[in-house]
Amino acid sequence: MKINYHDNIQKLSQESYIYIYGSGTFARSFYHSIKVFRPDIRILGFINSNETGKIYGIPIIFVDNFNHKGTEYDNIIVCTDQAHW
């Protein structure tokens, strides 16, 4: 069964705040899809188990250092690779 993640993007709540899990090809594609199809959604960062730094000016957070507690945001969604979408 093929899942079209562009359709699923539309199911996210208005003005959601999200973190994207991964920083590879799928994560970058997902980032661009959000920017094009859902500019109301704010991407807070990428979560990765292998690298840190920035992509498109957005921080890459090492998975062991990820802690969303204490943030002012209620709508945090973690997206994974296409096998787990």
Side-chain angles (χ1 to χ4, degrees), residues 12-17 34-35 37-42:
L12 297 175
S13 299
Q14 276 294 110
E15 300 183 14
S16 292
Y17 294 90
I34 291 290
K35 291 297 185 184
F37 297 107
R38 291 296 305 274
D40 62 294
I41 294 174
R42 183 169 171 204

Side-chain angles (χ1 to χ4, degrees), residues 4-74:
N4 184 344
Y5 67 84
H6 292 288
D7 293 339
N8 288 335
I9 290 171
Q10 299 308 318
K11 295 178 184 178
L12 297 175
S13 299
Q14 276 294 110
E15 300 183 14
S16 292
Y17 294 90
I18 68 170
Y19 288 92
I20 298 173
Y21 184 86
S23 59
T25 303
F26 182 79
R28 292 167 196 244
S29 175
F30 184 72
Y31 168 87
H32 289 296
S33 293
I34 291 290
K35 291 297 185 184
V36 170
F37 297 107
R38 291 296 305 274
D40 62 294
I41 294 174
R42 183 169 171 204
I43 300 168
L44 301 175
F46 293 85
I47 301 169
N48 195 293
S49 58
N50 298 316
E51 67 177 296
T52 59
K54 290 190 175 192
I55 300 176
Y56 312 121
I58 299 172
I60 303 171
I61 303 163
F62 185 63
V63 69
D64 290 344
N65 295 334
F66 178 71
N67 179 3
H68 72 277
K69 294 178 182 171
T71 64
E72 60 192 271
Y73 309 112
D74 293 328

